[in-house]
Amino acid sequence: YQTFATGAGDFCDGYGGDGKPNGMYPAVRAQMNELGMFDDILVAGVPQAQGAKAALLFSETADIYFDDYGTPGAEKRALYVTLRHAQIALDVVVEDDILDGTLNEYAVLYATAAHVTQACGDALLKWVDEGGRLFASGGLVLLTETNQTNNALANAYGIEEHSVFGREV
């Protein structure tokens, strides 16, 4: 294979003698397609995996801002696959689950998006203050529905000056 990486998650593949790509991208795509074959099993399942104490955040606010496209989307998919391969029972939660207290059933929340509502960010901070563990990467859920910085979360992270996706916030 002629695969090489130029940065985190930025894989460049070579081409074989037949003109078809070889290397990392086709392998990752094939893996994701194989995982997709289990969708019918997942849909028929129960909303909460038995004994799940970890959750992955899917944010409608992040969808509005296209947070999960490109590299951040690949990050979320890779995180999901990694956690499942580590045999960590994992649920998916949305912003409403955070606001209505459902998040209190979990020990850890994984978040890769940049945007959540201000109310959701404040509820996340309260959940962390009460003992929940937030694993945030990518945009750190620092931006609100109006694309402004959630200063309370920024202070909790110890961030004074920062930018998300090249934009000063």
Side-chain angles (χ1 to χ4, degrees):
Y1 291 111
Q2 301 171 11
T3 303
F4 61 95
T6 59
D10 182 17
F11 294 100
C12 299
D13 291 335
Y15 287 85
D18 57 2
K20 294 182 180 177
N22 59 24
M24 184 61 74
Y25 178 75
V28 170
R29 183 173 178 188
Q31 179 188 25
M32 296 308 290
N33 286 339
E34 287 180 26
L35 289 171
M37 293 188 298
F38 297 97
D39 281 349
D40 58 330
I41 297 169
L42 296 174
V43 169
V46 295
Q48 180 174 339
Q50 186 172 351
K53 295 295 181 195
L56 179 63
L57 175 63
F58 277 73
S59 164
E60 286 183 10
T61 307
D63 290 345
I64 293 168
Y65 285 96
F66 302 104
D67 286 356
D68 289 332
Y69 286 82
T71 301
E75 175 188 13
K76 182 182 274 186
R77 290 187 301 275
L79 177 62
Y80 173 80
V81 170
T82 300
L83 292 170
R84 293 306 298 135
H85 279 266
Q87 299 182 5
I88 294 173
L90 185 69
D91 282 348
V92 170
V93 296
V94 295
E95 289 166 298
D96 287 344
D97 294 327
I98 294 169
L99 294 172
D100 70 11
T102 302
L103 188 60
N104 293 332
E105 299 173 17
Y106 299 96
V108 63
L109 175 69
Y110 294 90
T112 61
H115 292 87
V116 293
T117 63
Q118 179 71 45
C120 181
D122 293 344
L124 272 175
L125 187 57
K126 182 180 180 220
W127 177 74
V128 169
D129 286 342
E130 293 173 354
R133 293 182 185 231
L134 175 61
F135 173 91
S137 63
L140 300 172
V141 293
L142 277 178
L143 298 176
T144 68
E145 67 271 24
T146 58
N147 211 30
Q148 301 299 311
T149 302
N150 182 321
N151 291 319
L153 274 171
N155 290 336
Y157 291 136
I159 299 172
E160 295 176 15
E161 294 181 27
H162 59 280
S163 67
V164 177
F165 302 121
R167 176 188 167 277
E168 290 296 323
V169 290

